[in-house]
Amino acid sequence: MTELWNGLIKAVELIVTLDPEVIEIAGRSLGISVTSAILASLICVPLASLIHFHQFRGKRFLISLIQTFYSVPTVAIGLFVFVFISRAGPLGWLGLLFSPAAIVIGQMLLVTPILLGLTISALRGVDRSIIDTARSLGASGFQAAIVILREARFAVMAAVIMGFGRAISEVGISLMVGGNIRGFTRVITTAISLETSKGDLELSIALGIILISIALIINIILNRVQQR
Amino acid sequence: MNFNRKIRTKIIIFSTVLLILASLAMGAVGCAKSSEAAPLEPKQRVRVATTTSLYDTGLWGYLEPMFEEQYGVELDVMYAGTGKALEYGQRGDVDIITVHSKAREEAFVAEGYGVERVPFAYNYFLIVGPSGDPAGIKGMLPEEACKKLMDSGSSSFVSRGDDSGTHSKEKSIWQKAGYEYEAVQQAGTWYIEAGTGMGPTLMMASEKQGYTLTDMGTYLAYKGKLELVPIVEKGDILLNVYSAIAVNPESAPKTKIDMASNLIGFLTSPEIQELIGKYGVDEYGMQLFIPCAGAEPTK
């Protein structure tokens, strides 16, 4: 118990005194995961609209496939990305393995199903009469889609925030394709994993507190957004 | 009502944007730290995959800034067991490896993946365990100790189980004691495969109060956190040689052979050899690594 207590005190000290290592790792984690969530949403929101606004064979199946991948294991994505971007792999010439870019790619793949699925649900939630009204007022298909997207903006935002939450809390991808290089690809989760296994609990606890605080902030924002 | 809602919306959007901007700024600060002294063009990155014992002892953390300053590059140090490091080298994902498993290193060079095997330091392996020595193996030769562990089958033995250099050494000890490694793996619940680095394996052995095979350097660096004492320390098989191998540019064209050669030159230079020999002496009261620039130690 004393170990935990001492660790906790030292951890709070590390945070309050803005320990450079803690700030650097937390900053990198946020930077990487925000980038992943934003880049993924730039792809996923239009793609989800495309799926939602078009009728085609196998649409229902596609959507349940997307939902199945909500809980894809991070290590499976880590392995997949590793095989592709390793120098011996098909995208090896890019030299991306063990870099922050590699983590971003992995996290984008991780959050894509969540973003797609939740955005489609968000669009579905919009009252059918709004699209009819827009069309009857002479809106083109594209304009009508914009109207619907605007109606669903809070739910879409919630989806993006959910995606960010999943990205920042994952450890498998960062460890496998980032390599946990100190000062380059070490993020909150990989640092916690390494420091705990080495028995250095203070840094782990400090980073753990930051990670939980981020989760808390996300949840508060998410709650506010969903009350819309 | 409507007005109120609009304001709340604005507040939420504003705070979200603020959060994003803040995190991007923090990310930029995080990245800037590694490049603040950089000239206009980004620094070249050199990748070394190292056995976990050289990482967990803090030796690489100590040498890294010196090399970076001397050559104006960013050195990325990845900790991986010898098996993983060799695999990274084979795939061309790193420029140089520092490992400790002679037979596999020689095969790596012979197959054309590595340029040359350059030993630069050594120390010894030892078997550590709980001070009570429940299996009664203290002072035995490693082969005898393994036999006794196998026969009694009651005291835990934590194996690295990660295809590392230490793991290879452990396998060869079992073999010398007259057992097939597969038989050892299936011998019972006392044989634990940790599948992790040297430091974490020691922590696990300490938690479970079992025995484990470790290199002297990592054991000394972790001693303060462990409830384990040296049990078996004598035997020729326990020699532990670390060497550096540059990844062959013919098998992996994108690797940076120049910088890899620089790093080998750096590791075997008289000044750095002296620092390696002194590393940790003040802190742990004993030499962690014995320098051996380019020459193979025999015992």
Coordinates of all heavy atoms in Angstrom, one line a residue, chain A residues 23-24 26-28 30-31 34-35 38 82-83 85-89 93 95 97-99 153-154 157 161 175 179-184 186 194 197-200 217 221 224-225 227-228, chain B residues 5 8-9 12-13 15-16 19-20 23-24 26-27 29-31 33-34 45 47 55-56 61 64-65 75-79 88 91-95 196 199-200 203 222 225 254-256:
Chain A
I23 N 5.3 15.7 -19.8 CA 4.6 16.6 -20.8 C 4.9 16.2 -22.2 O 4.0 16.1 -23.1 CB 5.1 18.0 -20.6 CG1 4.8 18.5 -19.1 CG2 4.5 19.0 -21.6 CD1 3.3 18.5 -18.8
E24 N 6.1 15.8 -22.5 CA 6.5 15.4 -23.8 C 5.7 14.2 -24.3 O 5.1 14.2 -25.4 CB 8.0 15.1 -23.8 CG 8.5 14.8 -25.2 CD 9.8 14.0 -25.1 OE1 10.6 14.2 -24.2 OE2 10.0 13.1 -26.0
A26 N 2.9 12.9 -23.0 CA 1.4 13.2 -23.1 C 1.1 14.0 -24.3 O 0.1 13.8 -25.0 CB 1.0 14.0 -21.8
G27 N 2.0 15.0 -24.6 CA 1.8 15.9 -25.8 C 1.9 15.0 -27.1 O 1.0 15.2 -28.0
R28 N 2.8 14.2 -27.1 CA 3.0 13.3 -28.3 C 1.7 12.4 -28.5 O 1.2 12.3 -29.6 CB 4.2 12.5 -28.2 CG 4.5 11.6 -29.4 CD 5.7 10.8 -29.4 NE 6.9 11.7 -29.2 CZ 7.6 11.7 -28.1 NH1 7.4 10.8 -27.1 NH2 8.6 12.5 -28.0
L30 N -1.3 12.9 -27.4 CA -2.5 13.7 -27.9 C -2.3 14.1 -29.4 O -3.2 14.0 -30.1 CB -2.6 15.0 -27.1 CG -3.3 14.9 -25.7 CD1 -3.1 16.2 -24.9 CD2 -4.7 14.6 -25.9
G31 N -1.1 14.6 -29.7 CA -0.9 15.0 -31.1 C -1.2 13.9 -32.1 O -1.9 14.1 -33.1
V34 N -5.1 12.9 -32.0 CA -5.9 13.9 -32.6 C -5.7 13.8 -34.1 O -6.7 13.9 -34.9 CB -5.6 15.3 -32.0 CG1 -6.2 16.4 -32.9 CG2 -6.1 15.4 -30.6
T35 N -4.5 13.7 -34.6 CA -4.2 13.6 -36.0 C -5.0 12.4 -36.6 O -5.6 12.6 -37.6 CB -2.7 13.5 -36.3 OG1 -2.0 14.5 -35.5 CG2 -2.4 13.6 -37.7
I38 N -8.8 13.1 -36.7 CA -9.2 14.1 -37.7 C -9.0 13.6 -39.1 O -9.9 13.6 -39.9 CB -8.3 15.4 -37.5 CG1 -8.8 16.1 -36.2 CG2 -8.5 16.4 -38.7 CD1 -8.0 17.4 -35.9
F82 N 2.2 -3.6 -39.7 CA 3.6 -4.0 -39.7 C 4.0 -4.7 -41.0 O 5.0 -4.4 -41.6 CB 3.9 -4.9 -38.5 CG 5.4 -5.3 -38.4 CD1 6.2 -4.6 -37.6 CD2 5.8 -6.4 -39.0 CE1 7.6 -4.9 -37.5 CE2 7.2 -6.8 -38.9 CZ 8.0 -6.1 -38.2
V83 N 3.2 -5.7 -41.4 CA 3.5 -6.5 -42.5 C 3.6 -5.6 -43.8 O 4.4 -5.8 -44.6 CB 2.5 -7.6 -42.7 CG1 2.6 -8.3 -44.1 CG2 2.7 -8.7 -41.6
I85 N 4.1 -2.1 -44.0 CA 5.1 -1.0 -44.1 C 6.5 -1.4 -43.7 O 7.4 -0.6 -43.8 CB 4.6 0.2 -43.3 CG1 4.6 -0.1 -41.8 CG2 3.3 0.7 -43.7 CD1 4.3 1.1 -40.9
S86 N 6.7 -2.6 -43.2 CA 8.1 -3.1 -43.0 C 8.9 -3.0 -44.3 O 8.3 -3.1 -45.4 CB 8.1 -4.5 -42.5 OG 9.4 -5.1 -42.6
R87 N 10.2 -2.8 -44.2 CA 11.0 -2.6 -45.4 C 10.8 -3.8 -46.4 O 10.9 -3.6 -47.6 CB 12.5 -2.4 -45.1 CG 12.8 -1.1 -44.5 CD 13.4 -0.1 -45.6 NE 13.3 1.2 -45.2 CZ 14.1 1.8 -44.3 NH1 15.1 1.1 -43.8 NH2 14.0 3.1 -44.0
A88 N 10.6 -4.9 -45.9 CA 10.4 -6.1 -46.7 C 9.0 -6.2 -47.2 O 8.7 -7.1 -48.1 CB 10.8 -7.4 -45.9
G89 N 8.1 -5.4 -46.8 CA 6.7 -5.4 -47.2 C 6.4 -4.5 -48.4 O 7.3 -3.8 -48.9
W93 N 9.1 0.7 -49.1 CA 10.0 1.8 -49.7 C 9.7 3.2 -49.1 O 10.5 4.1 -49.2 CB 9.8 1.9 -51.2 CG 8.3 1.9 -51.6 CD1 7.5 0.8 -51.8 CD2 7.5 3.1 -51.9 NE1 6.3 1.3 -52.1 CE2 6.2 2.6 -52.2 CE3 7.8 4.5 -51.9 CZ2 5.2 3.5 -52.5 CZ3 6.8 5.3 -52.2 CH2 5.5 4.8 -52.5
G95 N 9.5 3.7 -45.9 CA 10.3 3.8 -44.7 C 9.6 4.3 -43.5 O 10.0 5.1 -42.8
L97 N 8.0 2.4 -41.0 CA 7.9 1.6 -39.8 C 8.7 2.3 -38.7 O 9.7 2.9 -38.9 CB 8.4 0.2 -40.0 CG 8.2 -0.8 -38.9 CD1 6.7 -1.0 -38.7 CD2 8.9 -2.1 -39.2
F98 N 8.2 2.2 -37.4 CA 8.8 2.8 -36.2 C 8.8 4.3 -36.3 O 9.9 4.9 -36.0 CB 10.2 2.2 -36.0 CG 10.2 0.7 -35.9 CD1 11.2 0.0 -36.5 CD2 9.2 0.0 -35.2 CE1 11.2 -1.4 -36.4 CE2 9.2 -1.4 -35.1 CZ 10.2 -2.1 -35.8
S99 N 7.8 4.9 -36.8 CA 7.7 6.4 -36.8 C 6.3 6.8 -36.3 O 5.4 5.9 -36.3 CB 7.9 6.9 -38.2 OG 6.8 6.6 -39.0
R153 N -24.9 17.1 -37.0 CA -23.5 17.5 -36.7 C -23.1 17.1 -35.3 O -21.9 16.7 -35.0 CB -23.2 19.0 -36.9 CG -24.0 19.9 -36.0 CD -23.8 21.3 -36.5 NE -24.4 22.3 -35.6 CZ -25.7 22.6 -35.8 NH1 -26.5 22.0 -36.7 NH2 -26.3 23.6 -35.0
F154 N -24.0 17.1 -34.3 CA -23.6 16.8 -32.9 C -23.3 15.3 -32.8 O -22.3 14.9 -32.2 CB -24.6 17.3 -31.9 CG -24.7 18.7 -31.8 CD1 -25.8 19.4 -32.2 CD2 -23.6 19.5 -31.4 CE1 -25.9 20.8 -32.2 CE2 -23.6 20.8 -31.3 CZ -24.8 21.5 -31.7
M157 N -20.0 14.7 -34.4 CA -19.0 15.1 -33.6 C -18.7 14.1 -32.5 O -17.6 13.8 -32.1 CB -19.3 16.4 -32.9 CG -18.2 17.3 -32.7 SD -18.7 19.0 -32.7 CE -19.1 19.3 -31.0
I161 N -15.2 12.1 -31.5 CA -14.7 12.1 -30.2 C -14.5 10.6 -29.7 O -13.5 10.3 -29.1 CB -15.5 12.9 -29.2 CG1 -15.5 14.4 -29.6 CG2 -15.0 12.8 -27.8 CD1 -16.5 15.3 -28.9
L175 N 2.8 0.1 -29.9 CA 4.0 -0.7 -29.5 C 4.5 -1.4 -30.7 O 5.8 -1.5 -30.9 CB 3.5 -1.7 -28.4 CG 4.5 -2.3 -27.5 CD1 5.3 -1.2 -26.8 CD2 3.9 -3.2 -26.5
G179 N 7.2 1.1 -32.0 CA 8.5 0.7 -31.5 C 8.8 1.3 -30.1 O 9.9 1.0 -29.6
N180 N 8.0 2.2 -29.6 CA 8.2 2.7 -28.3 C 9.6 3.3 -28.1 O 10.3 3.1 -27.2 CB 8.0 1.7 -27.2 CG 7.8 2.2 -25.8 OD1 7.6 3.4 -25.7 ND2 7.9 1.4 -24.8
I181 N 10.0 4.1 -29.2 CA 11.3 4.8 -29.1 C 11.3 6.0 -28.3 O 10.5 6.9 -28.5 CB 11.8 5.1 -30.6 CG1 11.9 3.9 -31.4 CG2 13.1 5.9 -30.5 CD1 12.1 4.1 -32.9
R182 N 12.2 6.1 -27.3 CA 12.2 7.2 -26.4 C 12.4 8.5 -27.2 O 13.3 8.6 -28.0 CB 13.3 7.1 -25.3 CG 13.2 8.1 -24.2 CD 14.2 7.7 -23.1 NE 15.6 7.7 -23.7 CZ 16.3 8.8 -23.8 NH1 15.9 9.9 -23.4 NH2 17.5 8.7 -24.3
G183 N 11.6 9.5 -26.9 CA 11.7 10.8 -27.6 C 11.2 10.8 -29.0 O 11.4 11.8 -29.7
F184 N 10.6 9.8 -29.5 CA 10.2 9.8 -30.9 C 8.8 9.1 -31.1 O 7.9 9.8 -31.6 CB 11.2 9.1 -31.8 CG 11.0 9.1 -33.2 CD1 10.6 10.3 -33.8 CD2 11.1 8.0 -34.0 CE1 10.4 10.4 -35.2 CE2 10.9 8.1 -35.4 CZ 10.6 9.3 -36.0
R186 N 7.4 7.2 -28.3 CA 6.9 6.7 -27.0 C 5.6 7.5 -26.6 O 5.7 8.8 -26.5 CB 7.9 6.9 -25.9 CG 7.5 6.3 -24.6 CD 8.7 6.0 -23.7 NE 9.5 4.9 -24.3 CZ 10.7 4.6 -23.9 NH1 11.2 5.2 -22.8 NH2 11.4 3.7 -24.5
L194 N 5.9 -0.1 -20.5 CA 7.3 -0.3 -20.3 C 7.7 0.0 -18.8 O 8.4 -0.8 -18.2 CB 8.1 0.6 -21.2 CG 9.6 0.5 -21.0 CD1 10.2 -0.9 -21.5 CD2 10.3 1.6 -21.8
S197 N 6.5 -2.6 -16.3 CA 7.2 -3.9 -16.3 C 8.6 -3.8 -15.8 O 9.2 -4.7 -15.3 CB 7.2 -4.5 -17.8 OG 8.0 -3.7 -18.6
K198 N 9.1 -2.5 -15.8 CA 10.5 -2.3 -15.3 C 10.4 -2.0 -13.8 O 11.4 -1.9 -13.1 CB 11.1 -1.1 -16.0 CG 11.8 -1.5 -17.3 CD 12.1 -0.3 -18.1 CE 13.1 0.6 -17.5 NZ 13.4 1.8 -18.3
G199 N 9.2 -1.8 -13.3 CA 9.0 -1.6 -11.8 C 9.1 -0.1 -11.5 O 9.2 0.2 -10.3
D200 N 9.2 0.8 -12.5 CA 9.2 2.2 -12.2 C 7.8 2.8 -12.2 O 7.2 3.2 -13.2 CB 10.0 3.0 -13.2 CG 11.5 2.6 -13.2 OD1 11.9 2.2 -12.1 OD2 12.1 2.7 -14.2
I217 N -12.5 14.0 -19.6 CA -12.8 15.2 -20.4 C -13.6 14.8 -21.6 O -14.7 15.4 -21.9 CB -11.6 16.0 -20.8 CG1 -10.9 16.5 -19.5 CG2 -11.9 17.1 -21.8 CD1 -9.5 17.1 -19.8
I221 N -17.4 16.1 -22.6 CA -17.8 16.7 -23.8 C -18.8 15.8 -24.5 O -19.9 16.4 -25.0 CB -16.5 16.8 -24.7 CG1 -15.5 17.8 -24.1 CG2 -16.9 17.4 -26.1 CD1 -14.2 17.9 -24.9
R224 N -22.3 16.3 -23.1 CA -22.8 17.6 -23.4 C -23.3 17.5 -24.9 O -24.4 17.9 -25.2 CB -21.8 18.8 -23.4 CG -21.1 19.0 -22.0 CD -22.0 19.1 -20.8 NE -22.9 20.2 -20.7 CZ -22.7 21.4 -20.2 NH1 -21.5 21.7 -19.8 NH2 -23.6 22.2 -20.1
V225 N -22.5 17.0 -25.7 CA -22.8 16.9 -27.2 C -24.1 16.1 -27.4 O -25.0 16.4 -28.2 CB -21.6 16.3 -28.0 CG1 -22.1 16.0 -29.4 CG2 -20.5 17.3 -28.0
Q227 N -26.5 15.6 -25.5 CA -27.7 16.2 -25.0 C -28.4 17.0 -26.0 O -29.5 17.5 -25.8 CB -27.4 17.0 -23.7 CG -27.4 16.2 -22.5 CD -26.8 16.9 -21.3 OE1 -26.6 18.1 -21.4 NE2 -26.4 16.2 -20.3
R228 N -27.7 17.3 -27.1 CA -28.3 18.2 -28.2 C -29.6 17.5 -28.7 O -29.5 16.3 -29.0 CB -27.3 18.4 -29.3 CG -26.0 18.8 -28.9 CD -25.9 20.3 -28.7 NE -26.2 20.7 -27.3 CZ -26.7 21.8 -27.0 NH1 -27.0 22.7 -27.9 NH2 -26.9 22.1 -25.7
Chain B
R5 N -29.5 27.9 -26.0 CA -29.1 26.7 -26.7 C -27.9 27.1 -27.7 O -26.9 26.4 -27.7 CB -30.2 26.1 -27.5 CG -29.9 24.7 -28.0 CD -31.0 24.2 -28.9 NE -30.3 23.4 -29.9 CZ -31.0 22.6 -30.7 NH1 -32.3 22.5 -30.6 NH2 -30.4 21.9 -31.6
R8 N -24.8 27.7 -25.7 CA -24.2 26.4 -25.2 C -23.5 25.7 -26.4 O -22.4 25.1 -26.2 CB -25.3 25.5 -24.6 CG -25.4 25.8 -23.1 CD -26.6 25.1 -22.5 NE -26.5 23.7 -22.5 CZ -27.4 22.9 -22.2 NH1 -28.6 23.3 -21.8 NH2 -27.3 21.6 -22.2
T9 N -24.2 25.7 -27.5 CA -23.5 25.1 -28.7 C -22.2 25.7 -29.0 O -21.2 25.0 -29.2 CB -24.4 25.3 -29.9 OG1 -25.7 25.0 -29.6 CG2 -23.9 24.5 -31.1
I12 N -19.6 24.7 -26.5 CA -19.1 23.3 -26.8 C -18.1 23.3 -28.0 O -17.0 22.7 -27.9 CB -20.3 22.3 -27.0 CG1 -20.9 22.1 -25.6 CG2 -19.8 21.0 -27.6 CD1 -22.2 21.3 -25.7
I13 N -18.5 23.9 -29.0 CA -17.7 24.0 -30.2 C -16.4 24.6 -29.9 O -15.3 24.1 -30.2 CB -18.4 24.7 -31.4 CG1 -19.5 23.8 -31.9 CG2 -17.4 24.9 -32.5 CD1 -20.4 24.4 -32.9
S15 N -14.9 24.9 -26.9 CA -14.0 24.1 -26.1 C -13.4 23.0 -26.8 O -12.2 22.6 -26.6 CB -14.7 23.7 -24.8 OG -15.9 23.0 -25.2
T16 N -14.2 22.4 -27.7 CA -13.6 21.3 -28.5 C -12.4 21.8 -29.4 O -11.4 21.1 -29.4 CB -14.7 20.7 -29.4 OG1 -15.8 20.5 -28.7 CG2 -14.2 19.4 -30.1
L19 N -9.5 22.3 -27.3 CA -8.8 21.1 -26.9 C -7.9 20.6 -28.0 O -6.8 20.2 -27.8 CB -9.9 20.1 -26.5 CG -9.3 18.8 -26.0 CD1 -8.9 18.9 -24.5 CD2 -10.3 17.6 -26.1
I20 N -8.5 20.6 -29.2 CA -7.7 20.1 -30.4 C -6.5 21.0 -30.6 O -5.4 20.5 -30.7 CB -8.6 20.1 -31.6 CG1 -9.7 19.1 -31.5 CG2 -7.8 19.9 -32.9 CD1 -10.7 19.1 -32.6
S23 N -3.9 20.3 -27.9 CA -3.2 19.0 -28.0 C -2.2 19.1 -29.2 O -1.1 18.5 -29.2 CB -4.1 17.9 -28.1 OG -5.1 18.2 -29.1
L24 N -2.6 19.8 -30.3 CA -1.7 19.9 -31.4 C -0.5 20.7 -31.0 O 0.6 20.3 -31.4 CB -2.4 20.6 -32.6 CG -3.4 19.7 -33.4 CD1 -4.0 20.5 -34.5 CD2 -2.7 18.5 -34.0
M26 N 0.7 20.9 -28.0 CA 1.6 20.1 -27.1 C 2.3 19.0 -28.0 O 3.5 18.8 -27.7 CB 0.7 19.4 -26.1 CG 0.3 20.3 -25.0 SD -0.8 19.4 -23.9 CE 0.3 18.6 -22.8
G27 N 1.7 18.5 -29.0 CA 2.3 17.5 -29.8 C 3.5 18.2 -30.5 O 4.6 17.6 -30.6
V29 N 5.2 20.7 -29.4 CA 6.2 20.9 -28.4 C 7.0 19.6 -28.2 O 8.2 19.6 -28.2 CB 5.6 21.4 -27.1 CG1 6.7 21.3 -26.0 CG2 5.1 22.8 -27.2
G30 N 6.2 18.5 -28.2 CA 6.9 17.2 -28.0 C 7.8 16.9 -29.1 O 8.9 16.4 -28.9
C31 N 7.4 17.2 -30.3 CA 8.3 16.9 -31.5 C 9.4 17.9 -31.5 O 10.5 17.5 -31.9 CB 7.5 17.0 -32.8 SG 6.2 15.8 -32.9
K33 N 11.1 19.1 -29.2 CA 12.1 18.8 -28.3 C 13.3 18.1 -28.9 O 14.4 18.3 -28.7 CB 11.5 18.0 -27.1 CG 12.4 18.0 -25.9 CD 12.3 16.8 -25.1 CE 13.5 16.6 -24.2 NZ 14.2 15.4 -24.5
S34 N 12.9 17.2 -29.8 CA 13.9 16.3 -30.4 C 14.6 17.0 -31.6 O 15.6 16.5 -32.1 CB 13.3 15.0 -30.9 OG 12.2 15.3 -31.7
R45 N 17.9 9.9 -39.3 CA 17.6 9.0 -38.2 C 18.3 7.7 -38.4 O 18.3 7.1 -39.5 CB 16.1 8.8 -38.1 CG 15.3 10.0 -37.9 CD 13.9 9.7 -37.4 NE 14.0 9.6 -35.9 CZ 13.7 10.7 -35.2 NH1 13.3 11.8 -35.7 NH2 13.8 10.6 -33.9
R47 N 18.7 3.8 -36.9 CA 18.0 2.9 -36.0 C 18.8 1.8 -35.6 O 19.4 1.1 -36.4 CB 16.8 2.3 -36.8 CG 15.8 3.4 -37.0 CD 14.4 2.8 -37.1 NE 13.5 3.9 -37.0 CZ 12.7 4.3 -38.0 NH1 12.7 3.5 -39.1 NH2 12.0 5.4 -37.9
Y55 N 19.5 -2.3 -22.9 CA 18.6 -1.2 -22.8 C 18.2 -1.1 -21.3 O 18.2 0.0 -20.8 CB 17.4 -1.5 -23.6 CG 16.5 -0.3 -23.8 CD1 16.7 0.6 -24.8 CD2 15.3 -0.1 -23.0 CE1 15.9 1.7 -25.0 CE2 14.5 1.0 -23.2 CZ 14.8 1.9 -24.2 OH 14.0 2.9 -24.4
D56 N 17.8 -2.2 -20.7 CA 17.3 -2.1 -19.3 C 18.4 -1.7 -18.3 O 18.0 -1.2 -17.3 CB 16.7 -3.5 -18.9 CG 15.4 -3.8 -19.6 OD1 14.9 -2.9 -20.2 OD2 15.0 -5.0 -19.6
G61 N 20.8 4.4 -23.1 CA 20.3 5.7 -22.7 C 21.5 6.7 -22.4 O 21.4 7.9 -22.6
E64 N 23.6 7.1 -26.0 CA 22.8 7.7 -27.1 C 23.1 9.1 -27.4 O 23.5 9.5 -28.5 CB 21.3 7.4 -26.9 CG 20.4 7.8 -28.0 CD 18.9 7.8 -27.7 OE1 18.6 6.9 -26.8 OE2 18.2 8.6 -28.2
P65 N 23.0 10.0 -26.3 CA 23.3 11.4 -26.6 C 24.7 11.7 -27.0 O 24.9 12.6 -27.8 CB 23.0 12.1 -25.2 CG 22.7 11.0 -24.3 CD 22.6 9.7 -25.0
L75 N 19.5 9.1 -33.0 CA 19.6 7.7 -32.9 C 18.4 7.1 -32.3 O 18.0 7.5 -31.2 CB 20.9 7.3 -32.0 CG 21.3 5.9 -31.9 CD1 21.7 5.4 -33.3 CD2 22.4 5.7 -30.9
D76 N 17.7 6.2 -33.0 CA 16.5 5.6 -32.4 C 16.8 4.3 -31.9 O 17.2 3.4 -32.6 CB 15.4 5.4 -33.5 CG 14.8 6.8 -34.0 OD1 15.0 7.7 -33.2 OD2 14.2 6.8 -35.0
V77 N 16.7 4.1 -30.6 CA 17.0 2.8 -30.0 C 15.8 2.0 -29.7 O 14.9 2.5 -29.0 CB 17.8 3.1 -28.6 CG1 18.3 1.7 -28.1 CG2 19.0 4.0 -28.9
M78 N 15.7 0.9 -30.3 CA 14.6 0.0 -30.1 C 15.0 -1.2 -29.3 O 15.9 -1.9 -29.6 CB 14.0 -0.5 -31.4 CG 14.3 0.3 -32.6 SD 12.9 0.7 -33.4 CE 11.9 -0.5 -32.9
Y79 N 14.3 -1.5 -28.2 CA 14.6 -2.6 -27.4 C 13.9 -3.9 -27.9 O 12.7 -3.8 -28.1 CB 14.4 -2.4 -25.9 CG 12.9 -2.1 -25.6 CD1 12.0 -3.1 -25.2 CD2 12.4 -0.8 -25.7 CE1 10.7 -2.8 -24.9 CE2 11.1 -0.5 -25.4 CZ 10.3 -1.5 -25.0 OH 9.0 -1.2 -24.8
Y88 N 14.3 -7.9 -37.3 CA 14.3 -6.5 -37.8 C 15.4 -6.2 -38.8 O 15.2 -5.6 -39.9 CB 14.4 -5.5 -36.7 CG 13.1 -5.4 -35.8 CD1 13.2 -4.9 -34.5 CD2 11.9 -5.7 -36.3 CE1 12.1 -4.8 -33.7 CE2 10.7 -5.6 -35.5 CZ 10.9 -5.1 -34.2 OH 9.8 -5.0 -33.4
R91 N 14.8 -7.9 -42.2 CA 13.8 -7.2 -43.0 C 14.2 -5.8 -43.4 O 13.5 -5.2 -44.1 CB 12.5 -7.0 -42.1 CG 11.9 -8.3 -41.6 CD 10.6 -8.0 -40.9 NE 9.5 -7.6 -41.8 CZ 8.6 -8.5 -42.3 NH1 8.7 -9.7 -41.9 NH2 7.7 -8.1 -43.1
G92 N 15.4 -5.4 -42.9 CA 15.9 -4.1 -43.3 C 15.2 -2.9 -42.6 O 15.3 -1.8 -43.0
D93 N 14.6 -3.2 -41.4 CA 13.9 -2.2 -40.7 C 14.8 -1.4 -39.7 O 14.4 -0.4 -39.2 CB 12.7 -2.7 -39.9 CG 11.6 -3.2 -40.9 OD1 11.4 -2.5 -41.9 OD2 10.9 -4.2 -40.6
V94 N 16.0 -1.9 -39.5 CA 16.9 -1.2 -38.7 C 18.3 -1.1 -39.4 O 18.5 -1.9 -40.3 CB 17.1 -1.8 -37.3 CG1 15.9 -1.7 -36.4 CG2 17.6 -3.3 -37.4
D95 N 19.2 -0.2 -39.0 CA 20.5 -0.1 -39.7 C 21.6 -0.9 -39.0 O 22.5 -1.3 -39.7 CB 20.9 1.4 -39.7 CG 19.8 2.3 -40.2 OD1 19.3 1.9 -41.4 OD2 19.4 3.2 -39.6
T196 N 9.1 -11.8 -22.3 CA 9.3 -10.4 -22.2 C 10.8 -10.1 -22.0 O 11.6 -11.1 -21.9 CB 8.4 -9.8 -21.1 OG1 8.7 -8.5 -20.9 CG2 8.6 -10.5 -19.8
G199 N 14.6 -7.2 -17.8 CA 14.2 -6.5 -16.6 C 12.8 -7.0 -16.1 O 12.7 -7.5 -14.9
P200 N 11.8 -7.0 -17.0 CA 10.5 -7.5 -16.6 C 10.5 -9.0 -16.1 O 9.8 -9.4 -15.2 CB 9.7 -7.4 -17.8 CG 10.3 -6.2 -18.6 CD 11.7 -6.3 -18.2
M203 N 11.7 -9.1 -12.6 CA 10.6 -8.6 -11.7 C 9.6 -9.8 -11.5 O 9.1 -10.0 -10.4 CB 9.8 -7.4 -12.4 CG 10.6 -6.2 -12.6 SD 11.2 -5.4 -11.0 CE 9.6 -4.8 -10.4
Y222 N 19.0 -4.0 -11.5 CA 17.6 -4.2 -10.9 C 17.6 -4.7 -9.5 O 16.6 -4.8 -8.9 CB 16.8 -5.2 -11.8 CG 16.1 -4.6 -12.9 CD1 16.8 -4.1 -14.0 CD2 14.7 -4.5 -12.9 CE1 16.2 -3.5 -15.1 CE2 14.1 -3.9 -14.0 CZ 14.8 -3.4 -15.0 OH 14.1 -2.8 -16.1
K225 N 15.4 -3.6 -6.7 CA 14.0 -3.8 -6.7 C 13.6 -5.3 -6.5 O 12.4 -5.7 -6.6 CB 13.4 -3.4 -8.1 CG 13.6 -1.9 -8.4 CD 13.0 -1.7 -9.8 CE 13.7 -0.5 -10.4 NZ 13.4 -0.4 -11.8
K254 N 18.1 0.2 -48.4 CA 17.8 1.5 -47.8 C 18.5 1.8 -46.4 O 18.3 2.8 -45.9 CB 16.3 1.6 -47.6 CG 15.5 1.8 -48.9 CD 14.8 3.1 -48.9 CE 14.1 3.3 -50.2 NZ 13.1 4.4 -50.1
T255 N 19.2 0.8 -45.9 CA 19.8 1.0 -44.6 C 21.0 1.9 -44.7 O 21.6 2.0 -45.8 CB 20.2 -0.4 -44.0 OG1 21.0 -1.1 -44.9 CG2 19.0 -1.2 -43.6
K256 N 21.3 2.5 -43.6 CA 22.4 3.6 -43.6 C 23.7 2.9 -43.1 O 24.0 3.0 -42.0 CB 22.0 4.7 -42.8 CG 20.7 5.4 -43.3 CD 20.0 6.2 -42.3 CE 18.7 6.7 -42.8 NZ 17.6 6.5 -41.8

